[in-house]
Amino acid sequence: MITADSLSNFYQKKESKQIWFFNKLGVLTPHSTPEEVFKRLYAVSQVDSVGHKWNGSWKYMIPFLKSIGFDSHKRFKKFIDENNISNEDVSNLSRSVELTRLNQEIDVEKNKALDKIFSYNEKIKLFWLVFVCLFVFAFFIRFIL
């Protein structure tokens, strides 16, 4: 389970930061999703336009970005790059889901196998059988000693 959790951990951290940023944007991005906003931002970041847009067409957003902790375009670009969900992250998430499902199936099969060895009622019957045998053995051993 540790492996499955660690595989999905990066995806979940990035997703939560994307959602945090999207929620901070609020009314500035009507009819969008966090994924759409980050795809657009990542495309801008890939062509090194964050600095250009920071100093140009994003002037109206600069006070907002500074208010949530991005004091420079380099810091904002770093945030975008670090929190972009890559194909590898998506692949790891799907592997994590599959591993979790397999672990659950293994647990179910393991419990079935253990139940096949001795059920609760069989264990009680076995206990009483051993108890009676020991009692009978102790009863006859007292005559020998």
Side-chain angles (χ1 to χ4, degrees):
M1 212 48 147
I2 293 171
T3 304
D5 291 341
S6 64
L7 282 175
S8 65
N9 198 22
F10 290 113
Y11 180 92
Q12 291 171 344
K13 283 182 181 179
K14 290 177 179 182
E15 182 182 46
S16 69
K17 287 186 179 180
Q18 286 183 7
I19 291 170
W20 169 83
F21 182 75
F22 182 79
N23 289 337
K24 290 289 185 181
L25 280 174
V27 295
L28 296 176
T29 58
H31 311 296
S32 293
T33 65
E35 296 84 17
E36 291 172 352
V37 169
F38 250 80
K39 280 181 184 177
R40 283 185 263 155
L41 288 174
Y42 188 67
V44 169
S45 174
Q46 287 304 105
V47 293
D48 286 333
S49 295
V50 175
H52 176 71
K53 291 202 181 275
W54 185 278
N55 295 322
S57 61
W58 284 357
K59 288 241 183 236
Y60 68 96
M61 282 186 55
I62 302 302
F64 162 73
L65 292 171
K66 286 184 177 182
S67 74
I68 60 171
F70 301 111
D71 53 357
S72 70
H73 68 87
K74 290 178 184 176
R75 196 160 179 198
F76 187 54
K77 180 180 176 7
K78 183 179 176 186
F79 173 78
I80 295 168
D81 293 341
E82 287 177 353
N83 294 298
N84 179 55
I85 296 175
S86 66
N87 291 336
E88 183 181 357
D89 294 326
V90 173
S91 174
N92 285 340
L93 179 66
S94 65
R95 280 188 243 158
S96 170
V97 169
E98 181 65 18
L99 280 174
T100 301
R101 187 187 63 74
L102 287 173
N103 282 336
Q104 290 171 345
E105 285 180 13
I106 289 170
D107 287 344
V108 167
E109 291 300 319
K110 184 174 76 173
N111 288 337
K112 284 180 184 177
L114 289 174
D115 284 344
K116 285 181 182 178
I117 294 172
F118 287 113
S119 68
Y120 178 75
N121 289 336
E122 290 171 330
K123 289 175 188 174
I124 297 297
K125 288 177 185 177
L126 183 62
F127 169 76
W128 282 110
L129 179 65
V130 170
F131 179 74
V132 169
C133 289
L134 286 175
F135 182 76
V136 170
F137 178 73
F139 180 76
F140 287 114
I141 201 77
R142 71 183 177 117
F143 291 115
I144 297 173
L145 297 176

